[in-house]
């Protein structure tokens, strides 16, 4: 196993070291040849002679050498290892590369996205991308640490599942065992996490993958995204908001990311519309934008229902939400519908909605009333949500939750313009997978097995 990373060489002056990595660049001065050796921690200059002749950029090499302090005037303050260089004693090419189809030592913004994603395994070699992935890993680690300390359990929920309405189209997967039937990939774990509350788990979270077939948009990741999905029992709206706010403050402090205002300001939906003309807004000054300060805010008191184009009612955020307590009677009696406010809370950061959640209807008759207001028949309600209504009938605790978007939060933190910059293998904006060629055709035999005919 490789024992030493490039950045650690600065502390090894006078010692013999063994290094493994890629050739970031090569400068051939005939008698002496310099290479910059790169690994995930940075680059270090290596000095060699004849033996470096056959090495080219992006070859994978092993180098044994002595760490030498550089003379004062040759110090390179731009790199972490700029005070030293390696005098090579032995070099082995472990793998010779073909010429790369794209440069990997620029920041990459200048390269066409289709090309970057086709060769994502090369694109990720650029230090900027490594930095984003390392930050993502640390961010999730700190979230986990915080939630475990608060007594949460991390629990996985099914991916092959039934539809959970979050306002998008489902991705569906045909069943071979039951031809003509389909699974849906979850738009969120909403129903499962509520069922975990019925199960008495009390505090659940998951770094959850969600699948939504939405029309591609520049500022969205098409197809799938990751959210911190969380649910708690015996809480009110303020409890969930406080937990998430304190988690964010803790995690951001550990990552040295400045937050504009603590506690996060809270606006009602009505106030937000009056003040900003929208329910997502950027509270930062131009100067704060330059410093990449994170400006969080909450938006609460949204209307529960809105009119459909056909003149009926649909939910604005989440059909499983409870109304604010003072509107429970109206909900149960299906009156005053346009004025019912939901317990929904949205978290906003730097102009984006970065998460949302609510207190749920834990009494079956209240959940049923939501679907009745939406015009679903008794039969449809039973077919689609009978399991939820039944489960709530078996002593479901009061509960609520939230789901901040991991990709979106990281885009704000890194000040990247596109979600794809913080996702290892995102799809193209047109819905094609990175590197691999999905969606793709399926051969006739497989289709037959599934009982499917392409029209
Ligand atoms: N299920 C919601 C979503 O995915 C979040 C929540 O209400 O907890 O957006």
């Amino acid at each position: 196993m490789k024992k030493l990373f490039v950045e650690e060489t600065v502390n090894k002056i006078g010692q013999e070291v063994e290094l493994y990595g890629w050739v970031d660049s090569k400068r051939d001065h005939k008698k002496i040849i310099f290479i910059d050796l790169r690994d995930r921690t940075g680059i270090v200059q290596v000095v060699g002679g004849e033996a470096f002749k056959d090495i080219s950029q992006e070859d994978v090499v092993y180098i044994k050498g002595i760490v030498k302090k550089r003379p004062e005037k040759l110090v390179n303050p731009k790199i972490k290892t700029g005070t030293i260089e390696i005098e090579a004693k032995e070099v082995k090419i472990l793998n010779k590369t073909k010429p790369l189809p794209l440069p990997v030592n620029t920041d990459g913004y200048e390269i066409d996205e289709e090309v970057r994603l086709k060769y994502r395994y090369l694109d990720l070699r650029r230090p900027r991308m490594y930095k984003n992935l390392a930050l993502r890993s640390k961010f999730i680690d700190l979230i986990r640490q915080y939630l475990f300390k608060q007594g949460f359990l991390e629990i996985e929920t099914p991916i092959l599942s039934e539809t959970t309405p979050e306002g998008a189209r489902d991705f569906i997967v045909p069943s071979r065992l039951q031809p003509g039937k389909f699974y849906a990939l979850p738009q969120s774990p909403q129903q499962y996490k509520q069922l975990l509350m019925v199960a008495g788990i009390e505090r659940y979270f998951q770094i959850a993958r969600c699948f939504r077939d939405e029309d591609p948009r520049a500022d969205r990741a098409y197809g799938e995204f990751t959210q911190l999905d969380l649910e708690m029992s015996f809480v009110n709206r303020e409890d969930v908001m406080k937990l998430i706010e304190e988690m964010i403050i803790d995690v951001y402090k550990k990552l040295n990311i400045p937050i504009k205002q603590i506690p996060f300001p809270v606006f009602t939906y009505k106030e937000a519309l009056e003040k900003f003309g929208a329910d997502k807004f950027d509270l930062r000054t131009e100067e704060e934008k330059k410093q990449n300060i994170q400006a969080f805010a909450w938006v609460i008191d949204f209307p529960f229902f809105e009119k459909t184009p056909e003149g009926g009612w649909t939910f604005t955020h989440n059909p499983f939400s409870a109304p604010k307590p003072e509107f429970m009677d109206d909900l149960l009696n299906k009156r005053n519908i346009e004025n019912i406010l939901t317990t929904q809370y949205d978290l906003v950061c730097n102009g984006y909605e970065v998460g949302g959640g609510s207190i749920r209807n834990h009494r079956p008759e209240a959940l049923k009333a939501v679907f009745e207001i939406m015009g679903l028949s008794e039969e449809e309600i039973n077919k689609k949500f009978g399991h939820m209504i039944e489960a709530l009938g078996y002593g479901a605790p009061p509960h609520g939750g939230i789901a901040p978007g991991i990709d979106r939060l990281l885009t704000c933190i890194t000040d990247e313009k596109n979600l794809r910059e913080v996702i290892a293998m995102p799809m193209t904006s047109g819905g094609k997978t990175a590197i691999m060629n999905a969606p793709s055709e399926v051969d006739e035999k497989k289709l037959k097995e599934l009982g499917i005919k392409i029209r």
Side-chain angles (χ1 to χ4, degrees):
M1 186 164 91
K2 163 170 166 166
K3 296 224 173 61
L4 193 73
F5 283 98
V6 155
E7 67 177 5
E8 295 162 331
T9 52
V10 262
N11 310 316
K12 303 274 176 200
I13 293 172
Q15 296 178 33
E16 185 178 85
V17 293
E18 292 186 296
L19 295 170
Y20 295 85
W22 287 259
V23 176
D24 199 65
S25 62
K26 176 178 171 185
R27 293 174 296 283
D28 193 339
H29 298 290
K30 303 292 175 234
K31 278 216 183 67
I32 49 173
I33 300 174
F34 294 96
I35 63 169
D36 283 339
L37 180 76
R38 184 189 74 237
D39 72 7
R40 56 184 234 183
T41 65
I43 57 175
V44 65
Q45 176 164 285
V46 186
V47 196
E50 245 339 85
F52 279 14
K53 272 270 173 294
D54 297 332
I55 292 181
S56 25
Q57 214 180 342
E58 292 305 311
D59 282 350
V60 185
V61 293
Y62 159 84
I63 282 165
K64 192 196 264 185
I66 310 286
V67 182
K68 289 272 164 84
K69 199 167 170 355
R70 290 198 207 182
E72 204 62 54
K73 60 179 192 308
L74 294 180
V75 164
N76 178 358
K78 287 196 204 116
I79 57 173
K80 281 187 268 182
T81 60
T83 53
I84 57 120
E85 63 187 6
I86 314 290
E87 205 179 276
K89 296 273 172 251
E90 191 186 333
V91 55
K92 276 189 226 152
I93 298 178
L94 303 178
N95 204 350
K96 192 98 202 111
T97 182
K98 298 182 282 180
L100 299 195
L102 75 177
V104 299
N105 52 11
T106 63
D107 66 21
Y109 295 121
E110 76 286 5
I111 306 166
D112 181 59
E113 187 183 81
E114 293 271 334
V115 177
R116 286 185 61 198
L117 290 177
K118 174 163 186 217
Y119 297 103
R120 189 59 151 185
Y121 48 90
L122 297 178
D123 188 57
L124 292 177
R125 281 188 193 170
R126 59 187 89 255
R128 175 176 69 87
M129 294 308 284
Y130 178 77
K131 222 171 112 203
N132 285 354
L133 292 186
L135 173 71
R136 184 178 179 115
S137 173
K138 184 79 206 157
F139 186 63
I140 292 173
D141 176 32
L142 291 171
I143 287 174
R144 283 203 166 99
Q145 284 183 37
Y146 185 86
L147 293 175
F148 287 139
K149 241 187 268 155
Q150 307 293 323
F152 281 80
L153 255 59
E154 182 171 11
I155 300 178
E156 293 143 277
T157 53
I159 296 295
L160 290 175
S161 175
E162 210 181 337
T163 179
T164 271
E166 293 281 359
R169 287 191 192 86
D170 289 321
F171 285 97
I172 59 171
V173 181
S175 159
R176 179 181 59 83
L177 294 181
Q178 298 180 49
K181 294 200 172 158
F182 298 85
Y183 302 96
L185 305 184
Q187 293 187 33
S188 83
Q190 180 69 36
Q191 299 189 56
Y192 287 115
K193 69 173 169 176
Q194 290 194 244
L195 293 169
L196 287 170
M197 296 303 105
V198 183
I201 299 302
E202 297 198 34
R203 291 180 192 191
Y204 142 94
F205 84 93
Q206 173 177 203
I207 305 298
R209 200 61 71 81
C210 302
F211 305 87
R212 298 184 191 176
D213 184 3
E214 290 169 305
D215 291 329
R217 274 198 265 161
D219 69 336
R220 289 273 182 118
Y222 174 76
E224 51 187 281
F225 63 92
T226 306
Q227 66 185 21
L228 162 62
D229 196 55
L230 181 150
E231 198 77 6
M232 310 166 76
S233 293
F234 308 111
V235 285
N236 60 31
R237 176 173 86 168
E238 284 65 33
D239 294 323
V240 183
M241 290 164 68
K242 184 157 176 274
L243 176 106
I244 283 296
E245 186 164 326
E246 285 177 355
M247 181 198 83
I248 288 177
I249 293 166
D250 180 77
V251 168
Y252 281 53
K253 200 164 163 205
K254 289 182 172 138
L255 291 172
N256 267 321
I257 301 162
I259 294 176
K260 180 179 163 101
Q261 198 180 336
I262 293 171
F264 301 169
V266 182
F267 301 93
T268 64
Y269 175 68
K270 198 160 159 268
E271 285 167 350
L273 286 192
E274 278 162 17
K275 238 179 134 111
F276 312 107
D279 57 0
K280 29 185 174 291
F281 40 82
D282 198 337
L283 293 171
R284 296 170 303 169
T285 61
E286 286 308 314
E287 190 50 38
E288 285 166 337
K289 281 183 196 167
K290 271 187 220 133
Q291 297 165 9
N292 195 28
I293 286 170
Q294 307 296 297
F296 286 97
W298 291 103
V299 183
I300 56 169
D301 290 357
F302 293 91
F304 200 129
F305 297 98
E306 66 188 4
K307 278 260 179 239
T308 62
E310 296 79 33
W313 293 105
T314 186
F315 58 91
T316 60
H317 285 78
N318 189 334
F320 298 100
S321 297
K324 289 187 77 186
E326 60 271 32
F327 294 99
M328 185 53 95
D329 278 347
D330 284 341
L331 179 84
L332 291 172
N333 293 306
K334 289 165 248 163
R335 61 166 192 238
N336 194 25
I337 294 169
E338 64 277 19
N339 293 319
I340 296 177
L341 297 180
T342 157
T343 50
Q344 176 82 22
Y345 26 83
D346 272 5
L347 185 62
V348 169
C349 181
N350 297 2
Y352 293 100
E353 185 206 316
V354 292
S358 64
I359 299 302
R360 325 298 183 187
N361 273 324
H362 69 284
R363 280 166 40 215
E365 60 276 19
L367 180 59
K368 216 168 153 204
V370 173
F371 295 127
E372 284 166 0
I373 288 173
M374 285 164 55
L376 270 66
S377 68
E378 182 82 18
E379 202 191 327
E380 283 172 306
I381 296 174
N382 279 335
K383 190 158 167 244
K384 289 191 186 143
F385 303 107
H387 56 279
M388 286 301 285
I389 288 164
E390 182 177 16
L392 295 183
Y394 298 131
H399 60 282
I402 188 165
I406 298 284
D407 310 311
R408 177 60 72 199
L409 285 169
L410 284 166
T411 324
C412 290
I413 293 172
T414 53
D415 206 16
E416 292 284 7
K417 297 289 166 280
N418 196 310
L419 284 172
R420 290 182 275 274
E421 303 293 347
V422 297
I423 301 173
M425 310 278 181
M427 288 200 207
T428 66
S429 47
K432 188 171 140 344
T433 51
I435 310 155
M436 289 191 243
N437 219 358
S440 57
E441 275 104 36
V442 169
D443 51 299
E444 206 35 57
K445 192 168 154 249
K446 280 193 195 154
L447 284 178
K448 210 164 167 197
E449 249 176 16
L450 294 165
I452 288 180
K453 218 184 185 129
I454 304 289
R455 290 203 296 188

